[in-house]
Amino acid sequence: GGGVAGLLQRLGRREDSRQRAAELFGWLVAPLAPAEFLRRHWERAPLLLRRGDPGYYAGLFSTADFDAALRSGEVHFGTHLDVTSYADGVRETHNPSGRALPAVVWDFYQNGCSLRLLSPQTFSPTVWNFLSVLQEHFGSMAGANTYLTPPGTQGFAPHYDDIEAFVLQLEGKKHWRVYRPRTAAEVLPQFSSANLTQAELGEPMLETVLEAGDLLYFPRGFIHQGDCLPDAHSLHITVSSYQRNSWGDLLEKLLPAALQMAMEEDVEYRQGLPVGCLGYMGVANADTVDARRTAFVEKVQSLIKKLVDYAPIDAAVDQRAKSFLHDCLPPALTQSEEARSVYGFPARWQDGGPRHVDIPVTKDTEVRLLRHGAVRLCNEEAGVMLYYTTENSRVYHKEEPKFLEIEAEYTDSIEFLLSSYPSHVRVEALPCETLEDKISLATLLFEKGILTTKRPLVQV
């Protein structure tokens, strides 16, 4: 009961953010079990869920929310909103410049144009909360766009995307066609396609009409197109994740670091190429039978195999995690979390001066991380850095990555907080050398919104 707002409220009572994320994902693919979804569909095959429950997504986002975003004055064509059409095989974008005024936007819609609101989490606290919880399940940015399409029209040409897509039908209904990847190179592609023509598609593997409450999932690389039936408009939100989150993307970080380490530590990588190798190597010599060519290829293969021994795998994963934390939405706090964090701290001006400015952390204060997935320790050349999401923006990459340089003696305390989560621990239990260090570290992390306390620090 209570729609999406009620669901998020119930999840907010879970102490562990990892449990919140897992339960939200379970709700997203229900009644299919998450393990079954991962085994049968994730990166493999589309999934259609007909729920017969028009209110399943109630409160997540609506045409009224769309209108409210336009009236906020913050929506601009091109940056936040695209006006599109697709007719007779031609896809067009009709964006004017400047602010998306309601009168202009709704006139476009009335004349058969589709409206795509980019990153609705910027304008909707509920979508922000929804995605900020879900992103911890994926360990990869969870994004969204909303699409409002007039009856009897289509807004976009057939194409495939570079993300795992979950289409949530919010209002009305929409006719969808999904096609298998055409070639092996288009299976789990690294980049989205250009607009495709109907002649390039063949027959759809799945054709359906989504109604409110239904879900359609398709992996990256599956071509898709949606059009409205003559008797109903459509509002859907596409939740996405796993963009640039492949083994290949990890190796892009890992291999240069491994090669740098090998060059520093192993003289074999610093030895010169054989004198005269340009004369017998290269494409022009590819079909030449020559012992020198064989020896050259075997040497390269040997060096590549040995490179594995120098691969800083954990450090490369930390760098991927660092990028993820920069992509992340900031945590959406419950009322209880806000009251026990710096965001609810009652510092204010009163009676001619500041009140409740000092943060009274003591050895007995009980603390814990705000979210398990909100921080990442990375050991870098410049030192040990603690990256965090609490000061991110709801606008993608509006802020630079947020981090604190951590003294080496504090790393054990950060790891202790991570391993203790979701339990609260007393400040005096932090494995710092002195009580002053324990209080200083806890205060710093509290001020950055990284730590919450078991009880509000100041009763007002």
Side-chain angles (χ1 to χ4, degrees), residues 346-393:
R348 63 193 184 280
W349 180 273
Q350 182 179 331
D351 299 330
R355 295 288 182 269
H356 296 312
V357 175
D358 296 328
I359 296 175
V361 172
T362 70
K363 66 181 181 64
D364 296 319
T365 303
E366 295 179 90
V367 298
R368 70 165 211 178
L369 295 173
L370 173 64
R371 298 278 191 279
H372 188 272
V375 296
R376 188 79 181 197
L377 266 179
C378 294
N379 197 349
E380 301 180 344
E381 286 186 16
V384 180
M385 305 297 177
L386 180 68
Y387 290 87
Y388 59 97
T389 66
T390 55
E391 294 181 353
N392 285 3
S393 170

Side-chain angles (χ1 to χ4, degrees), residues 396-415:
Y396 179 70
H397 284 191
K398 182 178 180 181
E399 302 287 338
E400 292 299 313
K402 302 300 182 184
F403 63 91
L404 296 169
E405 186 170 357
I406 298 294
E407 299 293 335
E409 57 266 27
Y410 289 158
T411 57
D412 286 346
S413 293
I414 303 297
E415 291 170 356

Side-chain angles (χ1 to χ4, degrees), residues 234-252:
S234 168
L235 178 69
H236 78 263
I237 185 168
T238 298
V239 174
S240 63
S241 192
Y242 259 60
Q243 187 178 51
R244 314 280 187 276
N245 200 41
S246 68
W247 286 105
D249 293 299
L250 174 65
L251 291 174
E252 281 186 344

